[in-house]
Amino acid sequence: MTRKKAHIISHSHWDREWFLPLESLRFRLVTLMDEVEDLLDKEAGFNHFHMDGQMIMLEDYLAVKPAKREKMKQLVADGKLRIGPWYMLQDAFLTSGEANIRNLQYGLEMAEEFGQAEKIGYFPDTFGLYGQVPQLMRQAGFDTVVFGRGVNPTGFNNQVFDSAFASKYSEMFWESPDGSKVLGILLANWYSNGNEIPTDKEAAKIFWDKKLADVERFASTDEWLFMNGCDHQPVQTDLAEALEVARELYPEIDFIHSHFEKYQDAVKAGLEPEKLQTVHGELTSQQSDGWSTLANTASSRIYLKQANAKIERLLERLAEPISVMATEAGVSYPHEYLAFAWKLLMENQIHDSITGCSLDEVHREMEARFEKVEQTTIAIIQNAARKITEQIATNDAGIPITVFHAGGVEATRTVELELETDAIHFSEMHFELIPDELAKLPEHSFRMETSNGEEIPVVVEPLGIHFNYDLPERKFRDSYFARKYKLTFTVEHLPAVGYQTIYAYPVAVSDDEKELTGDLQLENQYLKVEIAPNGTYSILDKEKAVEVAGLGAYEDVGDIGNEYMFKETGDNLRINTYNSKPEIRVLREDKLGKTIEMKHEIEIPVSASATFAEEKRRLVWHPARTSHRSENRTTFKITTELTLNKHDKQLTVRVKLDNQVDDHRLRVLLPTGKQTETHQAGSVFEVVTRANKQVEEWTNPANDNRKQGFVTSGNIVVASLDLPEYEVSEQGDRLELTLLRAVSEIGDWGDFPAYEAECHREITAEFHVFLTDESSVNVPAQVNALLAPTFAIQHPSSSKEKILADTKDFAKWKVADGLVFSAFKLAKDNQPIIRFYQTASEPKLLNTVNLWRKSTILEETAGDAKNQFTVKPNEIITLKGV
């Protein structure tokens, strides 16, 4: 008979900011780390400390005590301080696939600088896990993950073996959709099950009798895990003494002050694989009552999700690809600056931050960080684009404009640019005289053409005379005044990953702008959109011969939940716009397309009723709350803009809100055109199929889910970057997209007000709707390209040699249907990296012009160089240039 072993792992789960702001918690962190150092140096029997799997914890400590860096390196080298593999502990569903990979890459790089990383996938408090975790971990060289949420342990007497989302034991196998498999270890008794171990024998006996039984209930081996710590927990300084007491009380059990790699190896050695269940795909507590999934963190403080999604796309689809393109102009790839931008963004992607479930002070600081990282990212983009355009060979007749695009497939896009003409510099004339001099010159309109002379439709809006300046490389700021125009134009055949140069030719202003017709419908060669008097609309796809009607009503409900979970008010009072009569008008109609504006006004309660404050004060758990909505009402205004440009295959919907109302949720209601049992949604490197009807155990009336990029049910596809929460009806015939959720507290575990989560601010939400006949496997790639931003730049004056082509496609590859473009960047050794993921149900080919080697997500190559690769279903494939 083998001896049972109790592995005690000392740690502190470090929420960088949450119920206290960053600097308040950093103060506690410094104290913690000083005590940890002292214990590791001096206390016999205190052998290891786990740094919560995230390098930012060490970075924050060293920001205060930089002189401790070498000491920390020594503790890591000695195996005492256990660090990595992540840069920070992210939210899985609210961060992109590329952000998840950068998090691991930068975390491992930093850990290796200190000596070594703990080679285990660590997800202690992630709010659900995407299904591709095992594949990513395998590609990173890990074969074990530790996680705290997503799977229900059932114990010895609950025989649940056929569920994909429950396990008899705390050990299980976890398989990705591509077949990658890892050993999964669930923190079945949470990451604090060995916290504050008593040294008093009587107290220790009571403690261990319960704790040992709790672990034995779920363990499949004689290797038992006890996590000695909790959220921001000070290190237990008398742990060595406490373990000696435990050894005396339980001589039949080995009590080991351990670390995860030691525990992992011991579990593997004692494992009986045939006993374990395999769980599959995403783990979101599907096999539960539905009240603690934390899914509604996807809609808390929606403005944070919008800022994050915007910057992720700027980094992934512009900053990194354009920086690769700029190497052909002799510009060094900005590895360090991109890392700086990513890490700054990651500070906002920590699970308690991006989910919007912290104090107001925390999220105010996040908004400032978002502004900083956007400034950083734009600077990288502008510098690379400017260096490229300085060397593009152009004709001398027109004003050259280059449009950059990296959506992965050739595209047609409507682009906006502020163009300047007639600049007069301060070096040419006294600055006080310049505006009057410019006013004497006539305003222009513009004709736009491709480099081949094909005319491009353009709409010109004069913006007047404005001050601006250049920042020359070797001179002081060069100030000037110039005329400015806003140009909106459509560019066809944008390269999949590359740039196209077009030309603006000044012409005389003409009076040929199309007058507004007042016709309240939108139509082009692909779609026809008709608007009903109540503001709902129908879409007819002419190519697919599919039509869906009744789209676009709004529904407002009371919310007495919290930043984690939605809970409808006890009166179930829902107010919708089906019987409203909005003001409808043509807002814009020109050669590019048309926009129709609708203004709804609905009377809704100003907040929850007065009893809600008492429920919060008494810490009533959200499922048990019953407060109604207030009897006091106010007018809530919703402005909707429907846009269909001439080349669009989707209807673009922009919703503008000025929310001054408390305790409510606003959704747009979208019939799907047919009934279904399942629907599909974009997720991290996959398209996941989800059941519309929940399991028998589910008691939460809501069935909210998270998406990345798109959700499709029936005949509609709804695409958006920054509206991650939705719900599909049990019959699959209605999709509800959350636009706003306004709440007032962190959660039900304490009285922590967060009044700014009521979102009293102007919010603009945008999404796209297009129809499908379910025959196309290309929806994920189409959405991916649709949501990729473009960047247009007017060429600067330059004396540099013109050596670059005016149009270039860097995508020297050809992908089959179902392959979705994900990344184009340089590895640390300056070799190009491309990444795709496969969404089709059968193998697909990826053909390249140049030779590439297959790589891991950590950009480590293996295999022969070749130019054709077979990509299996659900595979994430990374290629590295030779």
Side-chain angles (χ1 to χ4, degrees), residues 624-826:
R625 294 175 177 177
T626 60
S627 291
H628 291 197
R629 304 187 76 173
S630 171
E631 294 182 0
N632 298 324
R633 297 200 173 200
T634 188
T635 301
F636 188 75
K637 298 179 180 180
I638 306 169
T639 300
T640 308
E641 295 176 3
L642 304 180
T643 296
L644 185 67
N645 289 323
K646 290 191 180 300
H647 296 275
D648 290 347
K649 294 185 177 182
Q650 73 285 335
L651 176 69
T652 297
V653 184
R654 182 176 289 112
V655 185
K656 298 178 180 179
L657 311 168
D658 184 2
N659 180 56
Q660 302 300 323
V661 177
D662 292 347
D663 313 323
H664 71 127
R665 182 186 71 187
L666 182 72
R667 283 181 159 178
V668 60
L669 310 181
L670 302 162
T672 69
K674 65 165 59 173
Q675 293 190 354
T676 59
E677 294 183 354
T678 62
H679 67 276
Q680 292 187 311
S683 188
V684 178
F685 293 122
E686 69 172 324
V687 177
V688 61
T689 299
R690 294 173 177 151
N692 298 336
K693 187 175 182 179
Q694 281 294 358
V695 295
E696 187 176 333
E697 298 96 320
W698 197 274
T699 60
N700 188 344
N703 180 18
D704 301 323
N705 273 300
R706 290 160 284 197
K707 67 170 180 63
Q708 287 200 356
F710 75 97
V711 57
T712 178
S713 183
N715 290 125
I716 73 167
V717 179
V718 179
S720 67
L721 274 178
D722 50 15
L723 298 173
E725 182 184 284
Y726 73 93
E727 184 173 9
V728 174
S729 64
E730 280 195 6
Q731 297 76 27
D733 56 356
R734 188 166 87 167
L735 190 155
E736 302 180 5
L737 186 66
T738 304
L739 304 178
L740 168 72
R741 196 165 73 87
V743 294
S744 59
E745 63 169 356
I746 292 181
D748 51 36
W749 53 273
D751 187 9
F752 291 90
Y755 189 67
E756 290 173 21
E758 297 284 12
C759 297
H760 288 180
R761 58 174 65 208
E762 294 182 357
I763 291 176
T764 299
E766 183 174 283
F767 59 94
H768 310 274
V769 183
F770 57 97
L771 305 187
T772 176
D773 56 8
E774 301 181 350
S775 64
S776 175
V777 73
N778 275 332
V779 166
Q782 290 170 351
V783 170
N784 184 59
L786 173 66
L787 299 178
T790 56
F791 181 76
I793 181 173
Q794 179 181 351
H795 285 213
S797 58
S798 171
S799 58
K800 293 190 176 182
E801 184 180 1
K802 307 300 184 180
I803 59 174
L804 300 179
D806 66 358
T807 297
K808 182 165 184 178
D809 192 348
F810 289 76
K812 304 300 183 183
W813 55 80
K814 182 178 177 62
V815 298
D817 292 349
L819 282 168
V820 182
F821 171 74
S822 186
F824 181 47
K825 61 187 288 289
L826 290 192

Side-chain angles (χ1 to χ4, degrees), residues 44 60 126 226 349 379 400 441 616-617 805 866:
D60 283 345
T126 313
F226 296 91
Q349 294 185 330
L441 302 177
K616 289 186 289 186
R617 189 186 70 80
K866 53 185 181 178

Side-chain angles (χ1 to χ4, degrees), residues 552-563:
Y554 297 99
E555 183 176 74
D556 190 85
V557 308
D559 189 345
I560 50 174
N562 51 53
E563 290 181 322

Side-chain angles (χ1 to χ4, degrees), residues 573-591:
L573 177 61
R574 299 189 169 206
I575 299 166
N576 61 53
T577 60
Y578 282 116
N579 296 319
S580 66
K581 293 185 178 180
E583 176 187 334
I584 306 175
R585 69 184 181 111
V586 177
L587 183 65
R588 160 198 153 241
E589 188 171 10
D590 52 43
K591 64 185 71 175

